[in-house]
């Protein structure tokens, strides 16, 4: 393998790394050593655990994005403020003691009003835009904290974060609904729930308990409650983001599964949606960030 | 002590018992042996652990309400269907092996459409109405699963449950917001959040993440985030229940702290609110249920 550099997506709960030649992936590896698990002194070891096999005598650049750049991360990479290009500044160099690597962390973006932040998504946005000249429109990046991002003239103009994914996980695993939610997925139940909460978002907390009551009183086919829970939460989000997606050029960047769920909900509302691959966007964005470090080296 | 009977409020997480003479409390005791902790065979021992000191040679009636009557409880006490008096039927007798007690469980209420259930609140409603002849109006019973209940001519006409309290606990203890929420309570922040989400309930998931972002970018005085979280969730609930509280005779039955919070939010919206004591309502309702058992004995 002729590895030229290493791309790293280092979030709260996972560390994923790719051995790169230009923009071509030669190998990949990952671990559960996300930012939340590590003390400051633990990041270098956690990284080497994953990439050790790729290292030789010549030093390699490692370019990382995500929560690794948070205050509790390896090094704090100060936010850039929107409006701004998604990756407007040279990534932050991380002093370290291993001569085989030179580590850089991509800063996140912040918005002053309303206050909002992102770390990691800015890199995906940069990667998405890299292959689409003059793309103006709205990006939806679904996940634990779903981002809706307005893009114009190569810049992130504004964005808004929704805790939809985290709410879904909390309710599914830790609330009284855990007794009523099984695996499986009923598409019709999902789309009905999206429509219902889109038109009556204020009823969310009642609809949630309704899932439990319906199960107690009537029983419920497998996958109905899970799809209804997801649909109810996404419906409220779509009610809040109507100005973002209605009549706009729209793309979703996310994991395949959750992207398809959002796409179906939006298509039902008449929106035209492009779905972009999240990993490909991350790698293209990290390649851009790497170019910034080389221009100034 | 001349103990005549024993009143028990047996919920998911707690067991509270009172030694009663008529409607007068002679003594009280409690434990953490809520329904969720116990197997079917464990209820009798859990009860005796708490009330043992009150028992003599003459058998005493024990009248219990709450989740003790759920399918996973001591005995399943089948729901009565609304519209209905809050406690329309004789409590269910629980066969047991200790000759010193005769245990009864008050059934809950269910609503077929939209599906909803309550266990425990029906007893508080009966107790509240016992001292108010011809009271028509709306009751709010705030808690883990807040109930809004329409009462007319001594009957529960309809009701709706909101998971507001459970959402608050999940978000405060288990979400990313736990890093940003300290103790303390800022009244102005609470009331502002109620107003904001009452008018824009669909923005809930964005407002929640906004609490985290605001803390990261600006820091936050103690008690602000907690009050905003509570206000945001209650504001959405008040948006959904507007038809219940607007221009209606309105009373809140709940623990002092949460009742005051709901009362302030409602008063800000121009509603006139009576606050009733939850324990007193429970005991008055259990006394009513006890009378039903004696009429048929």
């Amino acid at each position: 393998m002729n590895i030229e550099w290493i791309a790293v997506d280092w979030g709260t709960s996972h560390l994923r790394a790719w051995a790169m030649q230009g923009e071509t992936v030669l190998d990949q590896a990952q671990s559960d050593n996300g930012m939340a698990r590590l003390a400051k002194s633990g990041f270098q070891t956690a990284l080497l655990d994953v990439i050790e096999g790729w290292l030789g005598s010549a030093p390699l650049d490692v370019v990382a994005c995500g929560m690794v750049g948070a205050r509790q991360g390896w090094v704090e990479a100060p936010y850039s403020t929107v409006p701004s290009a998604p990756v407007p500044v040279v990534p932050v160099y991380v002093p370290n003691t291993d001569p085989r690597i030179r580590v850089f962390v991509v800063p996140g973006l912040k918005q002053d009003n309303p206050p909002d932040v992102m770390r990691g998504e800015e890199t995906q946005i940069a990667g998405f835009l890299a292959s689409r000249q003059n793309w103006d429109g709205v990006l939806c990046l679904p996940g634990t904290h779903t981002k809706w991002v307005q893009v114009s003239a190569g810049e992130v103009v504004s964005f808004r974060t929704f805790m939809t994914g985290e709410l879904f996980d909390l309710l599914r695993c830790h609330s009284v609904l855990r007794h009523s939610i099984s695996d499986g997925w009923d598409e019709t139940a999902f789309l009905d729930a999206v429509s219902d909460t889109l038109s009556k978002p204020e009823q969310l907390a009642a609809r949630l308990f309704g899932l439990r009551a319906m199960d107690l009183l009537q029983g419920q086919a497998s996958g109905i409650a899970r799809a209804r829970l997801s649909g109810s939460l996404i419906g409220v989000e779509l009610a809040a983001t109507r100005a973002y997606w209605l009549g706009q050029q729209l793309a979703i960047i996310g994991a395949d599964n959750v992207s398809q769920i959002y796409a179906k909900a939006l298509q039902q509302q008449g929106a035209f949606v492009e779905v972009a691959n999240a990993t490909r966007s991350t790698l293209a964005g990290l390649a851009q960030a790497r170019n910034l470090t080389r221009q100034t080296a």
Side-chain angles (χ1 to χ4, degrees), chain A:
Chain A
M1 290 195 294
N2 183 17
I3 299 171
E4 295 174 353
W5 64 291
I6 294 170
V8 176
D9 180 4
W10 204 333
T12 302
S13 54
H14 289 90
L15 157 58
R16 296 191 300 158
W18 296 265
M20 305 294 293
Q21 182 178 38
E23 297 205 19
T24 305
V25 174
L26 301 178
D27 198 6
Q28 52 186 302
Q30 58 187 341
S31 83
D32 291 335
N33 275 323
M35 177 275 276
R37 277 206 180 178
L38 300 169
K40 286 256 183 256
S41 59
F43 283 87
Q44 181 166 319
T45 307
L47 177 63
L48 289 172
D49 282 350
V50 170
I51 67 169
E52 188 84 54
W54 300 336
L55 303 181
S57 51
L60 287 181
D61 284 355
V62 176
V63 185
C65 66
M67 292 301 283
V68 64
R71 200 169 303 164
Q72 296 81 19
W74 194 350
V75 67
E76 185 173 2
Y79 298 107
S80 301
T81 306
V82 300
S84 151
V87 181
V89 296
V90 180
V92 173
Y93 176 68
V94 184
N96 75 84
T97 55
D98 193 306
R100 296 171 299 171
I101 49 176
R102 296 173 61 229
V103 180
F104 298 87
V105 172
V106 181
L109 294 179
K110 70 170 162 140
Q111 175 174 276
D112 288 332
N113 189 19
D116 215 327
V117 292
M118 67 169 72
R119 282 198 188 276
E121 293 89 352
E122 75 294 328
T123 303
Q124 297 184 312
I125 297 166
F128 174 86
L129 293 177
S131 58
R132 289 164 182 84
Q133 284 227 320
N134 303 321
W135 193 94
D136 284 4
V138 170
L139 292 170
C140 170
L141 297 99
T144 304
H145 298 149
T146 296
K147 311 284 179 188
W148 286 80
V149 183
Q150 197 193 345
V151 172
S152 180
E155 293 201 330
V156 172
V157 178
S158 70
F159 65 101
R160 203 79 180 99
T161 304
F162 294 79
M163 275 184 62
T164 306
E166 184 162 11
L167 281 170
F168 180 79
D169 291 336
L170 286 173
L171 288 164
R172 186 172 56 96
C173 302
H174 297 290
S175 82
V176 70
L177 298 184
R178 70 187 185 279
H179 304 300
S180 296
I181 292 179
S182 57
D183 289 342
W185 185 263
D186 185 288
E187 187 83 10
T188 307
F190 169 73
L191 290 173
D192 287 350
V194 170
S195 291
D196 286 354
T197 51
L198 229 168
S199 61
K200 293 185 180 172
E202 73 281 2
Q203 294 292 342
L204 178 66
R207 286 185 59 90
L208 295 178
F209 190 80
L211 296 177
R212 178 64 181 149
M214 207 173 302
D215 185 28
L216 286 171
L217 297 182
Q218 306 166 359
Q220 217 159 208
S222 172
I224 296 262
R226 184 159 164 266
R228 281 208 176 112
L229 172 60
S230 174
S232 297
L233 292 167
I234 290 175
V236 175
E237 184 182 315
L238 295 190
T241 54
R242 210 184 290 263
Y244 275 90
W245 53 263
L246 203 66
Q248 298 284 335
Q249 168 142 279
L250 185 58
I252 300 173
I253 308 175
D256 282 349
N257 190 28
V258 67
S259 291
Q260 289 306 327
I261 288 173
Y262 270 78
K264 285 198 172 126
L266 283 158
Q267 282 157 359
Q268 182 193 228
Q269 300 305 319
F272 179 80
V273 190
E274 175 187 355
V275 175
N277 182 282
T279 300
R280 206 172 304 143
S281 299
T282 301
L283 291 176
L286 287 169
Q288 280 214 318
R290 177 189 175 228
N291 287 340
L292 289 177
T293 68
R294 280 145 53 99
Q295 284 159 18
T296 60

